[in-house]
Amino acid sequence: MPTKVNREYSKTDKNGNVVIDRSQKWTMLREKSRLKEIYIVRYADDFKIFCRGYQTAKKTYTAVVKWLKEWLSLDISEEKSGITDLKKNYMEFPGLKIRAEPKGKNMQ
């Protein structure tokens, strides 16, 4: 399913792929916004939310749990859910183990 992209800050290349314009407008929007930068990865009925810092992860976790309970009447599994520092530990996602590695380090 394609995601919605703000057309003011994006362009389409020759192949029809959406390319985000990282111009001055985009940079200013990121610097002045009070929104937190998060990435959501979804597979079937599982999803992971990636954040840059612990405080953002804590706030996002609380908000997601509350939203799922209030709007969808869904309870989350406390044993499967939590906050993980990917620089120190790995995380499991259906069929994968994910861990952050410094750039330039060879994977073996």
Side-chain angles (χ1 to χ4, degrees), residues 5-26:
V5 176
N6 187 340
R7 298 291 173 206
E8 183 178 346
Y9 299 109
S10 64
K11 299 174 185 173
T12 306
D13 66 5
K14 296 175 188 176
N15 300 327
N17 298 321
V18 175
V19 179
I20 305 239
D21 181 16
R22 308 247 184 232
S23 65
Q24 183 179 3
K25 285 182 184 178
W26 180 261

Side-chain angles (χ1 to χ4, degrees), residues 6 13 31 46 48 59 63 78 81 88-89 92-93 98 104:
N6 187 340
D13 66 5
E31 289 173 357
D46 293 330
K48 297 289 183 181
K59 289 178 184 178
E78 293 295 329
S81 303
K88 297 177 182 175
N89 298 316
E92 291 189 17
F93 196 56
I98 300 171

Side-chain angles (χ1 to χ4, degrees), residues 37-53:
E37 184 177 8
I38 64 171
Y39 299 93
I40 301 171
V41 179
R42 185 177 67 91
Y43 179 76
D45 63 344
D46 293 330
F47 66 94
K48 297 289 183 181
I49 300 174
F50 297 92
C51 305
R52 296 234 179 239

Side-chain angles (χ1 to χ4, degrees), residues 24-77:
Q24 183 179 3
K25 285 182 184 178
W26 180 261
T27 304
M28 287 175 55
L29 178 66
R30 290 185 64 194
E31 289 173 357
K32 293 184 179 186
S33 173
R34 295 181 62 201
L35 298 174
K36 306 293 185 240
E37 184 177 8
I38 64 171
Y39 299 93
I40 301 171
V41 179
R42 185 177 67 91
Y43 179 76
D45 63 344
D46 293 330
F47 66 94
K48 297 289 183 181
I49 300 174
F50 297 92
C51 305
R52 296 234 179 239
Y54 178 75
Q55 290 301 322
T56 303
K58 202 162 108 175
K59 289 178 184 178
T60 304
Y61 178 80
T62 304
V64 168
V65 169
K66 187 177 178 182
W67 187 85
L68 287 172
K69 182 65 177 166
E70 289 179 4
W71 287 92
L72 301 177
S73 300
L74 294 173
D75 292 320
I76 64 161
S77 169

